[in-house]
Amino acid sequence: MVTYRPILRGAGYAGIFYFTVNGLMKLFLSGAPEANILGFVSLGFAAFCALIWWLAKRVKTHSGLELCGLALCSSLIVNVSIHMSITFEQENMAYFVLVMPVCACVNVTRRAFAVGMLGSFFALLWFVSQNIPSHLTDYISVGAAGILVSLGVSVLVRDSIINAVRAQIAANDERERAVNLATQDPLTVLPNRRSFFQALEDRDQRLHQSCEGFVLGLIDLDGFKPVNDTYGHAAGDQLLREVGRRLGDAVPDGALIARLGGDEFAVLADLPGPGKSVDRFGNQITRSLGRPYEVEGNVADVGASMGLLVCDEAGPSQKQMMERADHALYVAKRSRRGGAVVFSAHHESDLLSLGRVEQALRESDLDTELSLLFQPQYDLHERRVVGFEALARWTSPSLGVVMPDLFIPAAERACVMRPITQILLAKTLVALERLPQPLRISFNLSVHDLMSPAAVEHILTQVRESGVDPARLEFEIAETALAVDFNMARTAITNLRQAGCSVSLDDFGVGYTNVSHLQQLSISKLKVDRSFIAPLLDDESAAQLVRTLINLARSLDLECVLEGVESFEQLSLLDAFNARYVQGYLIARPMSVERIETYLAAVEAGETDFTSLPPAASAVPKAHKA
Ligand code: C2E
Ligand code: CA
Ligand code: CA
């Protein structure tokens, strides 16, 4: 319809011009008495055409435009008719025929076109029948020819208009698609990374100008990869779309959710209103995303960890904002998997230290700066040391001695874990050769080692080439690594076991491993996290929990090491629980490889605190290993 607007206005222009010139010529150049009337009539029609020209721009409806076209055609017919009524001139009959193609061009609808054309045709015949009836048949054929020509013109005009409109629509669609492609994630139809950063910039500017704060949240799915691997990519896509939908439902109005790529999503929302906390906001989202998903008839357990940052004062750059939210997400992944962590002041100092450590790591000579300490593991049944856990230390020239709790996460973030593992394992294998038979060494693996088949292969090659008995080497895998990618971890564990090494599940109880998962893994040992031992003597429920964990390991036919035993009382109680393996400061603090020999001699000689444990422990049946 809108394409007719300029045509109608163009015809209006032509009408104004034609009638004005025609009217002025009649008024000033013609001497005939009726010319004055005709001149004024023409000027009147010029004014009418101006009205149509004005209306054509303003009418909003289809029927309004249809009426304008019809009015213009009618005015032409009426104008010719008035001329004919005043002075009939046969040669001017051609004007009726000329009006017809004009009707073909300016009328929006076929209906209006037909009315205009037939009006012109019958006006022509009426004047002929009144003035020159003998020529009626001639004029019927002239009129019919005019109608045919007009029909042709109408078809041509309409076709070209329709084609032009279609081409325009296609071009618009294409442009829209291109814009969408640049700003939208095609899978979830959520804004993509690019539009997320644009929105972040907008909110940041708003914060600078009007102090309107906002919350930035980064979300990473836990256990998405196994769904993709097990059920296929179509199922993975379906799950991601569902995540997008749930996110949309979980966030308040006005919030922006985006897919940053893979299984990473982001949220930008206004600060929660009074009485609502950012923690609650985050937990609401992770709870909603953590509900089971139905994919292709199966139920998939996928969780979501979230890092949140409250941006309520101008200052940090966008890069810093992202770094902070990302750090909160990292903390959530490590310690609150499936939950939300809000970035706070103490994270700020952690981030600073991590940054400094990462930087120092890059500049370090790890081969000489990394070393190992060894902490004994004690068998309460046999009353002897059975092995040592290798614990990494890094003596940085710029930072001094850095504990692994700090530099291992930094190395993981900086993706330099693999060379570190290789150096530490080489040192462990050398130490193992010095250790009296049949003592064993446990070596900690990072989740980064486990998630790379090439890294596991390299580890096994190192073990083979060292010539040590693989049965004397144990690998410790943190329970939280299972949540990152269970299938990958299971494959790595199987490969390590097939090479003859044993594998233990470290920091057990901190993560959420279910028993059926444990049964699928070829591990030989659980290491109960020291956080369970610390409150052991304080209350009955803590003691009960430790007992349950010991019994769980026994029922699964797994050995069980209780970590973090610091006092003699704790040891006595664990002995009474029929626990078998213990590790902790009471047994010994981590020591250098050179000290091991003296230490073992002292234990043998009963010169250590814990060896004074009464033999009463053996009164408890020890038929089972705990
Ligand atoms: P982890 O595997 O749980 O190691 C035990 C940690 O508990 C050690 O800390 C040890 O010194 C400490 N510990 C032992 N007994 C007691 C006790 O009675 N009380 C208390 N409060 N702590 C005790 P460390 O050496 O600082 O290591 C911390 C973590 O760093 C380790 O936790 C492990 O996850 C990681 N780590 C250490 N060495 C390596 C390594 O070579 N490779 C990898 N990937 N990670 C390592
Ligand atoms: Ca360990
Ligand atoms: Ca541990």
Side-chain angles (χ1 to χ4, degrees), residues 66 96 104 189 204 237 412 435 447 462 492 501 554:
E66 183 184 25
F96 283 115
V189 222
D204 191 25
D237 288 353
E412 286 175 348
L435 213 62
V447 62
Q462 264 184 289
C501 305
R554 184 174 294 144

Side-chain angles (χ1 to χ4, degrees), residues 20 120 222 274 293 327 441 457 500:
T20 310
S120 188
D222 305 318
Y293 292 81
H327 181 70
I441 290 189
E457 194 44 51

